[in-house]
Amino acid sequence: MTRLLKVSGPDDRTILEAAAILVAGGLVAFPTETVYGLGADGLNPEAVARIYSAKGRPATNPVILHVADVAGAQALVSEWPETARLLAERYWPGPLTLVLPASEAVPSIVRAGGPTVALRCPAHPVALALIRAVGRPLAAPSANRSQHLSPSLALHVVSSLGQAVDLVLDGGATEAGLESTILDLSGARPRILRPGPITPAELARTIGDLETWEGVVEAGQRQDAPGMAERHYSPQARLELVDRGKGLSATSGTVAYVGFGTLPALPIGVRGVLLPLDAEVVGTRLYALLHELDDAGFARIVMERPPEGEAWLAVRDRLQRASAKERV
Ligand code: TXA
Ligand code: MG
């Protein structure tokens, strides 16, 4: 059985126990403000290798290093540009990951052999206390099998990764619900690799110029974060994105219909789920909802396309990927 321990806050003794496991090269899942992370000592290549095998993650997909403060980040990069300084001052700790040229301290496996490293200082007090207790950066992808839904509860971690994790710290439901915004600062111009809780407009207010993220385009046309395979973040149920009220004519099996703002008339037997017209609230609840519908055994989830507009960028991105057909 995977061990699961409740953690009440940053002073909880379970954090010391978790830190001891990490220092010894083990895997500990822990809460962040976005989703649960699957943590390992980020400077120990063997420990990081265990993350890849636990997740079934391709070796070409690098992992984020989590640090407790700016000094921790600076030790891992060969440059700390003014843009990084400004953004870290404004958004750290918080759901913003910065990609920068890596220093020699960063093991190759963390970078998937590339020249850059992704860094994030999480806002969750338990995550920060854990990084400080270990005294090293923590490599931590989302704590789910590769391409599956990210975990917003400790139980999701257990059901997705099972025995592969030495300890799961249960800090309750995560707050932001969607993974961090990833901004690449290693090129000539700042570029968003993954939309997230911090929007392009917010980033532009701090650093001015940046390349915005334009949506999923044909595979191979543009370079996303390596992990942004077209199909990703998927529930077990078949997820279809539809225009309002469509997609329900040929219903068979158990079907849930998810609408925004109000629900259209639904055929008998279709379970209606109403989400508010508030991108932030939907972002917070999205993964938890998809997990719940999976657990309830729905074979199909028919979901309205979310509204247009920048506030909905991250939600639209995750839903497009979750509904994409199996990658070829
Ligand atoms: O909110 C989050 O970011 C969560 C929590 C646990 O911190 N973590 C997370 O990690 O979402 P993961 O591994 O599921 O997603 C990280 C993404 C992947 O798409 C990966 O390809 C990309 O970050 N990434 C990591 N290192 C990179 C690098 N050096 N350059 C470009 N992309 C990178
Ligand atoms: Mg992930």
Side-chain angles (χ1 to χ4, degrees):
M1 282 294 289
T2 311
R3 288 180 65 218
L4 194 146
L5 288 178
K6 290 243 185 268
V7 56
S8 57
D11 299 323
D12 199 311
R13 287 196 47 235
T14 54
I15 290 177
L16 297 180
E17 197 175 325
I21 293 172
L22 289 164
V23 167
L27 297 185
V28 174
F30 61 92
T32 81
E33 79 279 28
T34 59
V35 299
Y36 275 77
L38 178 60
D41 175 350
L43 301 182
N44 176 344
E46 287 83 42
V48 178
R50 291 191 61 203
I51 290 182
Y52 281 83
S53 68
K55 281 181 62 85
R57 183 177 180 110
T60 49
N61 189 2
V63 295
I64 299 175
L65 290 184
H66 294 67
V67 296
D69 47 38
V70 167
Q74 285 171 328
L76 301 166
V77 299
S78 61
E79 284 167 46
W80 184 252
E82 178 67 2
T83 45
R85 190 186 69 78
L86 290 168
L87 288 166
E89 196 174 273
R90 172 73 182 80
Y91 289 109
W92 279 7
L96 176 65
T97 296
L98 300 177
V99 173
L100 289 158
S103 77
E104 280 166 16
V106 181
S108 171
I109 187 170
V110 167
R111 303 177 266 112
T116 60
V117 63
L119 299 170
R120 156 161 143 76
C121 177
H124 198 293
V126 167
L128 286 173
L130 186 60
I131 299 165
R132 290 200 177 103
V134 173
R136 282 158 165 255
L138 293 182
S142 53
N144 52 275
R145 291 281 304 168
S146 196
Q147 303 211 333
H148 288 200
L149 271 186
S150 291
S152 55
L153 290 174
L155 275 177
H156 299 155
V157 180
V158 177
S159 60
S160 186
L161 293 174
Q163 309 293 341
V165 192
D166 297 307
L167 175 67
V168 180
L169 288 180
D170 181 356
T174 58
E175 207 178 283
L178 293 182
E179 303 85 348
S180 62
T181 305
I182 303 181
L183 184 69
D184 186 354
L185 294 177
S186 70
R189 204 172 174 206
R191 197 160 67 91
I192 292 182
L193 301 182
R194 178 173 74 183
I198 298 174
T199 64
E202 288 174 301
L203 296 174
R205 238 173 275 140
T206 306
I207 56 169
D209 198 33
L210 85 164
E211 257 177 64
T212 54
W213 184 92
E214 303 126 349
V216 182
V217 293
E218 293 302 311
Q221 274 194 356
R222 64 184 293 279
Q223 201 199 341
D224 289 317
M228 298 294 270
E230 209 177 305
R231 181 183 168 85
H232 213 126
Y233 312 107
S234 305
Q236 301 297 312
R238 186 149 56 92
L239 176 68
E240 296 157 41
L241 290 185
V242 299
D243 295 325
R244 188 176 182 75
K246 299 280 160 53
L248 289 168
S249 42
T251 53
S252 61
T254 46
V255 182
Y257 182 93
V258 184
F260 292 95
T262 55
L263 283 175
L266 297 173
I268 287 166
V270 173
R271 155 98 74 95
V273 177
L274 182 60
L275 291 176
L277 276 169
D278 178 327
E280 212 171 302
V281 173
V282 172
T284 312
R285 298 218 314 239
L286 185 65
Y287 287 148
L289 171 66
L290 295 177
H291 278 292
E292 279 162 29
L293 294 175
D294 263 353
D295 293 345
F298 285 95
R300 279 176 72 205
I301 302 170
V302 179
M303 187 157 181
E304 288 176 11
R305 269 178 241 292
E308 297 294 312
E310 189 184 272
W312 292 87
L313 198 58
V315 168
R316 276 204 310 276
D317 168 66
R318 300 306 189 277
L319 285 173
Q320 263 167 42
R321 293 176 196 280
S323 63
K325 298 280 181 294
E326 208 63 64
R327 240 178 135 214
V328 281

